[in-house]
C-alpha cells in the first residue's frame, strides 16, 4: 500500500491476514494518515497483533469494533469514526473482512451459504451505506476532479472464486461453491455501487488479492495450477506494483473490474 | 417450448407467469411427455389456472407441491416425483421460481437481500441436489452421447439483472440491487454446477427470458431503453426460435452461458 496517499483510511477485518498486513504496509508510507483498523473483537486473542501495532503507532492507528454481520455494530462504528474524522472525511474504505465456506452441489450446507452471503455481501453493502456520507465529504473536500484511491474510494477485496469466467476451470479441484456464489454477489454489488457513487466522484472497485497463506486462504490448498501461494508478508497488498493493472503473476491484487480507475 | 422433446419435465413456479406459460407451450407439442408442474401452494387461489390446465390434461400434468424456500418441501417433492417417474428418469429440470426485490445502496432492505438469496440461489441448488439422481438416470437411459435438453438438463431461468457486464448500464433507472446480487449468485451456481454435472453428461445452463409483463416483471416498469416488454403469451418461451443462440430482440430466452450446449 506504499503508493496510497489517502489521509483517512478504514479497513475491515484488520486484525489478521491481508487486513493486518495492509495496515502494516500502510505504516511504511511516510504520508500523514490515519487508519481506522476495524475488527469484530478488538479485545480478543485474535486481535493481539493489531493491538501491538496500535500501541507502537498510537497517533496513526485507531482500533474500532465493527462486526460485519451485525447492522447495529456497523452503524455504531460509523458514528464513532464520524466523530473522530476531521473535515476531510474518509478517503478510503477497504471492505476486506470475509469468510470462506467450501462445498459442492452435494455438500454445501445451507447455513454456510447464508453466512457467507451475510458476511461477504450484505455486510459490505451496509458498510458502504453507513460510511458514504464521509466518503462524500472527502470527495468534496479534495478539490480535484476525477476518481482515485487518494480522493474517495471503496475497495472491495473480492476473489476470482466469484468470477464466472475464471472459476469454473478449477472448480472440481477447489470446491468453494458457497464462497463463490457470495463473491459473485459481492462483485455485482461493486459494479452497481460504482454506478451509484459515480455522481459523487467516488471510486468503487473490486480486487482479487491472489491466493495467500492466511487463516482464510488456508494451509492445505494444493492448487498449484491456479497460482503458487505466497505468504502474507510476501504479498505487496496491491500498490508496491505501480502498474495500473497489476498482473495475476505479480503476487499483488489485480482488479476484477474498472481497472482504469485503480490509481 | 415446441422444440423440446424431453419426456419427463419438472418446472418450479409453474402456477403463474413464465412457468405457467411454459407448461402451456409444452402442451402444444405432440411429443409424449409428462410435466411435473410444481408450486408453493397448489390449492391456493394463485394456482387456479394451473389446476384448470391439469384438469384438461390429466395424463400429461401432475401438480406437485414444492416450496423453494423450504428444504423439507424440496426433499418431499423429490421423493414423490421419484415414485412417479419411470425408469427413464427426469430429462429436464427448469428452475423457474424466483422473487424480485428492488433497492439501491441506500434503500435495499436486509430481509429482502436474505429472501432473494434464499429463493433464487439456495433453493435451486437444493433442488438440483435432490433431483440429480433422476437426471443421472435419464442421462444413462438415453443411450446417446453428448448433452441436450432432451436427454438430461438443468435450465436455470435467470436474468441479465445478474450480469456484471450488462446490468450496470441501466442500474440507475432500474434499481433491483438485491435481485441482481441474487441472480449473480444463481449464474455462478449454474456455471459451477455445469462443471460438476459434466461427467454425467447433464447439461446445465442459465437463460434470460427477457422482460415480460408478469407479476414478477411488473406493470409499472418504464425501461424502454432496455427492451420493450412483451406479454407472457407473446413470449416464445425459448424454443420456437430454433436458433442455437436466440437474440435479445427475438422476445425469447437468450442464454447467459454455454450457448453451444443449449440445444
Amino acid at each position: 500500500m506504499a503508493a496510497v496517499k489517502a489521509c483517512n483510511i478504514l479497513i475491515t477485518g484488520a486484525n489478521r491476514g491481508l487486513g493486518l498486513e495492509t495496515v502494516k504496509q500502510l505504516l511504511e508510507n511516510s504520508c500523514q494518515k490515519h487508519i481506522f483498523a476495524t475488527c469484530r473483537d478488538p479485545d480478543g486473542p485474535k486481535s493481539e497483533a493489531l493491538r501491538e501495532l496500535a500501541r507502537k503507532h498510537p497517533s496513526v492507528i485507531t482500533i474500532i469494533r465493527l462486526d460485519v454481520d451485525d447492522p447495529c455494530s456497523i452503524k455504531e462504528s460509523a458514528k464513532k469514526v464520524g466523530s473522530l474524522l476531521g473535515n476531510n472525511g474518509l478517503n478510503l474504505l477497504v471492505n476486506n473482512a470475509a469468510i470462506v465456506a467450501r462445498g459442492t452441489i452435494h455438500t454445501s450446507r445451507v447455513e454456510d451459504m447464508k453466512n457467507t452471503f451475510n458476511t461477504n455481501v450484505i455486510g459490505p453493502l451496509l458498510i458502504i451505506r453507513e460510511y458514504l456520507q464521509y466518503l462524500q465529504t472527502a470527495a468534496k473536500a479534495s478539490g480535484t476532479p476525477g476518481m482515485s484511491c487518494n480522493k474517495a474510494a471503496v475497495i472491495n477485496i473480492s476473489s476470482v472464486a466469484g468470477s464466472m469466467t475464471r472459476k469454473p476451470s478449477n472448480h472440481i479441484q477447489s470446491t468453494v461453491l458457497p464462497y463463490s456464489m457470495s463473491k459473485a454477489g459481492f462483485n455485482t454489488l461493486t459494479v452497481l455501487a460504482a454506478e451509484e457513487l459515480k455522481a459523487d466522484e467516488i471510486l468503487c472497485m473490486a480486487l482479487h488479492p491472489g491466493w495467500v497463506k492466511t487463516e482464510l486462504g488456508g494451509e492445505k490448498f494444493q492448487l498449484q495450477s491456479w497460482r503458487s501461494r505466497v505468504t502474507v508478508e510476501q504479498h505487496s497488498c496491491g500498490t508496491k506494483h505501480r502498474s495500473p493493472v497489476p498482473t495475476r503473476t505479480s503476487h499483488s491484487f489485480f482488479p476484477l473490474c474498472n481497472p482504469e480507475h485503480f490509481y
Side-chain angles (χ1 to χ4, degrees), chain A:
Chain A
M1 284 284 171
V4 173
K5 293 179 180 61
C7 297
N8 292 320
I9 301 165
L10 185 138
I11 303 166
T12 64
N15 61 316
R16 60 190 174 99
L18 278 175
L20 181 63
E21 184 62 20
T22 302
V23 175
K24 285 180 187 170
Q25 293 193 17
L26 281 166
L27 289 169
E28 291 172 13
N29 184 324
S30 59
C31 296
Q32 204 171 15
K33 60 169 66 72
H34 199 85
I35 303 167
F36 297 95
T38 79
C39 55
R40 186 191 307 248
D41 183 13
D43 302 319
K46 288 190 173 178
S47 302
E48 176 51 33
L50 178 61
R51 289 197 297 271
E52 175 63 25
L53 212 57
R55 277 193 290 271
K56 282 186 192 161
H57 304 275
S59 63
V60 183
I61 299 174
T62 302
I63 301 178
I64 302 278
R65 186 182 174 275
L66 193 166
D67 180 351
V68 176
D69 287 340
D70 177 2
C72 292
S73 163
I74 294 170
K75 266 185 192 284
E76 280 169 21
S77 76
K79 270 187 198 162
K80 190 161 187 181
V81 170
S83 72
L84 298 170
L85 280 168
N87 292 333
N88 292 327
L90 182 67
N91 302 98
L92 186 56
L93 165 60
V94 184
N95 274 316
N96 165 70
I99 56 171
V100 74
R102 308 188 199 291
T104 63
I105 291 287
H106 284 291
T107 63
S108 292
R109 293 172 40 198
V110 170
E111 277 313 294
D112 283 344
M113 290 188 271
K114 288 183 178 178
N115 290 340
T116 48
F117 192 74
N118 287 349
T119 305
N120 299 351
V121 185
I122 296 177
L125 183 147
L126 297 179
I127 290 170
I128 297 171
R129 180 186 296 174
E130 295 302 329
Y131 283 90
L132 187 54
Q133 55 187 315
Y134 311 128
L135 291 161
Q136 286 167 329
T137 302
K140 280 180 194 152
S142 79
T144 54
M147 295 184 188
S148 93
C149 284
N150 300 327
K151 179 179 171 180
V154 177
I155 300 296
N156 289 336
I157 307 303
S158 189
S159 169
V160 290
S163 163
M164 278 167 253
T165 54
R166 290 175 185 260
K167 181 58 186 162
S169 65
N170 86 333
H171 174 59
I172 300 302
Q173 299 100 298
S174 169
T175 48
V176 288
L177 191 48
Y179 181 66
S180 291
M181 295 190 304
S182 74
K183 286 298 189 183
F186 191 42
N187 292 344
T188 295
L189 166 63
T190 307
V191 294
L192 300 186
E195 290 298 318
E196 291 188 40
L197 307 186
K198 204 189 275 181
D200 290 322
E201 294 191 341
I202 299 169
L203 169 64
C204 184
M205 68 176 299
L207 295 180
H208 165 65
W211 189 18
V212 190
K213 277 185 185 175
T214 61
E215 194 171 315
L216 186 147
E219 279 292 326
K220 290 181 182 171
F221 275 12
Q222 289 297 335
L223 193 60
Q224 298 305 329
S225 64
W226 184 287
R227 63 183 300 178
S228 57
R229 286 169 299 162
V230 292
T231 65
V232 76
E233 293 77 16
Q234 290 165 328
H235 197 286
S236 73
C237 288
T239 53
K240 276 186 179 166
H241 298 268
R242 294 294 304 273
S243 157
V245 186
T247 66
R248 288 183 74 196
T249 54
S250 68
H251 290 318
S252 67
F253 292 100
F254 76 92
L256 287 168
C257 49
N258 294 355
E260 68 278 18
H261 289 148
F262 183 36
Y263 292 104

